[in-house]
Amino acid sequence: MSIEEKVKELNERKERLKLGGGRAKIDEQHERQSLTARERIESLVDKDSFQEVGLFARHRCTNFGMAGREFPAEGVVTGAGSVGGRLVHLASQDFTVAGGSAGEVHSDKIVQAMLAALKTGTPFVFMNDSGGARIQEGIDSLAGYGKIFYHNVMLSGVVPQISLICGPCAGGAAYSPALTDFIIQTASARMFITGPSVIKEATGEEITAEALGGPLSQMNYAGVAHFVAENDLVALRICKRLLSFLPSNNLEDPPQLEADDIVVPDKTLNTIVPTDPKKSYDVRQVITRLVDGGDFLEVQPLFAANIVVGFARILGRSVGVVANQPSVLAGALDINASDKGARFVRFCNAFNIPLITLVDVPGFLPGVQQEQGGIIRHGAKMLFAYSAATVPKITVIMRKAYGGAFLAMCGKELETDRVFAWPTAEIAVMGPQGAVNVIFRNEIAQAEDPQQRRRELIESYQSTFATPYAAAARRDVDDIIEPAETRRHLAMTLDILHTKREFRPMKKHGLIPL
């Protein structure tokens, strides 16, 4: 054969392999309102930037009729491309090829892409769309999953890992996304360990696949998913936006955008938080007025909504924001909020993203269910995460800051770099009403007018302890600022702290109370 003929054969082979399961299967994928594996990659990466690796890979299985069967690209597309001009490594499962089932070579291709991300210090994006393990390959398929899980852990804290759930993700396959940093699940995707039919057979419980493993279930109740997308295209847009806030690896600072250094006071912040501690408000209104262009990417908005976490920028610098949400459970910390907050804090610390904490917390949520569910252990995760964090830590106390929950929201004693308080801040061991009931119980009971005496004592307690001035006098607050000037103070402090270095005792790792 001449070179021209060989090149023609090569191109024909490539075109056939790139069709995956064939035109009919691709049409079925489109009928389900889903993109194909290759279309997802094309929609994510910059034009003409994707370099595929392993197109000609083939399985080695000969059992159960597998001998001689060809699965194009082994049912998963892997390689590297750029997103916004920055390199990422990718794996995208192809449901048109054997339902995207994972066999030995399929898994090895994914691991190869993960190792390439580790060697080059670039994010790893895994697009899941698979019917599960390739049963014909038996233990080889199971071993393949194990390799993926192991390398998820090796990449953890070194490069960002993002999972997109674009179709089925069941059984052992669901553990790989769970080991990554962020999960973006589409509305039609389903993710669970055991499906509805198995659950019915094992326990007698009946439930639909959507109620069990749909995105709202995995977000609202399980806290597994971090973002919910209407479809593949929206999921890919979320992925792009998320990557824009993150560094490529743990040795880099987050990308910094050009920004106008002029910061003007925002008088709206002076009235946005009610002075009456019993009145609620949406803390996201505060966040959007503090950050560049009101651009705030909230993470897990429907899970543990009493705490708000997410990414933003201040004068072009990426920051992680953690804030109590007074409109849900009065902003009290409970088990789920503690888990959500601690995990986010640890991610930001791993990838050099400064932390801004907005405090309006009445305490840990009381109740038998919370105590028996381990609120002590879960609440301790917040204390551990903030204490272990060495990135710049800035805390703003807007209103209530009571007891251990205040410390868990990055109080000064956790080596916080700056603690600012608004004049409306109330900082104390507990709320004035509760404190007075404990300290002056007998005096109130013996008074001629118990209610009047109780009001007087509450006012006295507030003026003595529950003010920012008492805390500032003891240097638990660095400065008391006008709310309108908060953005300026945050910007100045981030500029001062951007070279911060903090060293800790040598050890393998701390023992967070899991």
Side-chain angles (χ1 to χ4, degrees):
M1 294 176 66
S2 67
I3 185 62
E4 289 80 9
E5 290 172 322
K6 287 182 178 291
V7 170
K8 180 181 178 183
E9 180 191 22
L10 170 64
N11 291 333
E12 288 174 351
R13 283 175 178 261
K14 283 190 172 184
E15 288 303 315
R16 177 172 54 81
L17 290 172
K18 288 181 178 180
L19 276 177
R23 180 54 56 188
K25 291 287 187 181
I26 292 173
D27 290 341
E28 288 179 14
Q29 189 84 343
H30 290 162
E31 287 171 9
R32 291 193 292 268
Q33 306 299 311
S34 293
L35 300 177
T36 65
R38 295 181 182 279
E39 288 170 342
R40 288 170 184 144
I41 291 176
E42 289 172 5
S43 297
L44 176 65
V45 302
D46 301 336
K47 186 177 181 181
D48 297 328
S49 71
F50 181 65
Q51 182 183 59
E52 185 170 354
V53 177
L55 175 62
F56 295 96
R58 297 191 69 166
H59 68 83
R60 301 182 296 179
C61 182
T62 58
N63 300 321
F64 304 106
M66 290 286 286
R69 293 187 65 185
E70 182 183 48
F71 295 145
E74 256 307 280
V76 61
V77 183
T78 56
S82 62
V83 177
R86 299 165 63 213
L87 184 67
V88 300
H89 280 81
L90 309 106
S92 182
Q93 291 180 314
D94 189 347
F95 194 79
T96 71
V97 178
S101 58
E104 176 196 18
V105 177
H106 176 111
S107 297
D108 282 349
K109 284 185 64 177
I110 295 170
V111 169
Q112 183 182 10
M114 297 170 80
L115 285 171
L118 192 62
K119 290 177 182 178
T120 57
T122 53
F124 177 65
V125 178
F126 188 7
M127 304 176 196
N128 293 258
D129 189 359
S130 169
R134 194 175 296 169
I135 300 172
Q136 297 94 324
E137 296 195 27
I139 191 65
D140 289 338
S141 177
L142 188 62
Y145 275 139
K147 291 177 184 178
I148 293 173
F149 301 160
Y150 176 82
H151 286 89
N152 280 134
V153 177
M154 291 303 100
L155 268 63
S156 181
V158 182
V159 297
Q161 299 181 81
I162 302 173
S163 295
L164 281 75
I165 313 299
C166 302
C169 183
Y175 282 114
S176 177
L179 289 167
T180 63
D181 300 311
F182 298 101
I183 295 175
I184 306 168
Q185 185 172 354
T186 64
S188 61
R190 304 291 179 261
M191 178 168 52
F192 38 65
I193 298 300
T194 51
S197 59
V198 177
I199 288 178
K200 183 178 180 180
E201 184 177 339
T203 69
E205 298 171 288
E206 293 191 21
I207 189 170
T208 65
E210 180 178 1
L212 181 65
L216 293 182
S217 174
Q218 292 298 344
M219 167 80 80
N220 294 23
Y221 307 119
V224 174
H226 298 86
F227 302 94
V228 173
E230 295 176 20
N231 52 48
D232 288 353
L233 288 174
V234 175
L236 294 163
R237 283 200 293 269
I238 293 172
C239 184
K240 285 183 181 181
R241 188 178 173 205
L242 176 58
L243 285 167
S244 74
F245 289 101
L246 310 181
S248 292
N249 58 67
N250 65 332
L251 299 180
E252 294 183 3
D253 288 331
Q256 184 170 354
L257 305 184
E258 292 185 8
D260 188 346
D261 291 339
I262 299 174
V263 180
V264 297
D266 184 351
K267 292 296 183 180
T268 303
L269 288 168
N270 286 349
T271 56
I272 205 167
V273 175
T275 55
D276 183 349
K278 294 181 180 180
K279 289 186 177 180
S280 69
Y281 60 95
D282 188 344
V283 75
R284 288 170 295 193
Q285 295 178 356
V286 177
I287 295 170
T288 54
R289 301 199 78 89
L290 293 176
V291 303
D292 294 357
D295 182 21
F296 177 58
L297 178 60
E298 186 174 356
V299 177
Q300 288 185 306
L302 302 178
F303 176 68
N306 44 321
I307 194 168
V308 173
V309 302
F311 298 103
R313 293 184 182 87
I314 293 183
L315 296 192
R317 280 197 173 94
S318 290
V319 295
V321 179
V322 181
N324 302 114
Q325 177 59 289
S327 65
V328 180
L329 297 177
L333 291 177
D334 64 353
I335 288 171
N336 287 341
S338 298
D339 286 356
K340 174 181 172 180
R343 189 178 192 276
F344 182 77
V345 167
R346 286 174 68 80
F347 175 85
C348 289
N349 187 54
F351 290 103
N352 311 313
I353 300 172
L355 287 160
I356 292 175
T357 307
L358 304 179
V359 182
D360 190 349
V361 63
F364 285 102
L365 187 68
V368 174
Q369 185 179 10
Q370 288 291 309
E371 293 292 345
Q372 293 182 346
I375 184 62
I376 296 174
R377 172 168 51 89
H378 290 273
K381 294 177 186 179
M382 288 284 284
L383 291 162
F384 191 104
Y386 271 124
S387 296
T390 58
V391 293
K393 297 182 288 192
I394 308 171
T395 297
V396 179
I397 306 170
M398 301 179 296
R399 202 169 59 173
K400 298 185 289 292
Y402 295 152
F406 163 51
L407 297 178
M409 290 297 295
C410 207
K412 186 68 174 178
E413 287 70 21
L414 304 190
E415 291 296 312
T416 307
D417 298 292
R418 293 287 189 280
V419 176
F420 298 111
W422 289 358
T424 49
E426 299 179 8
I427 307 164
V429 174
M430 61 192 305
Q433 291 83 0
V436 165
N437 288 342
V438 172
I439 300 171
F440 302 106
R441 181 184 306 160
N442 293 334
E443 183 176 337
I444 292 171
Q446 295 169 8
E448 291 185 10
D449 187 344
Q451 291 301 320
Q452 176 61 29
R453 183 56 182 155
R454 184 172 182 274
R455 284 192 293 270
E456 293 171 354
L457 291 169
I458 287 174
E459 291 176 6
S460 175
Y461 184 90
Q462 284 178 317
S463 61
T464 304
F465 295 109
T467 75
Y469 301 103
R474 289 162 177 77
R475 293 182 299 156
D476 286 327
V477 166
D478 293 304
D479 195 8
I480 302 168
I481 62 174
E482 181 184 355
E485 296 283 352
T486 305
R487 177 170 156 84
R488 182 175 69 85
H489 281 282
L490 293 176
M492 290 178 65
T493 307
L494 287 168
D495 191 50
I496 291 167
L497 294 173
H498 82 277
T499 57
K500 175 190 175 184
R501 296 292 182 268
E502 189 170 335
F503 301 97
R504 298 297 173 87
M506 292 293 294
K507 53 186 173 182
K508 269 192 173 182
H509 54 74
L511 300 173
I512 189 169
L514 294 173

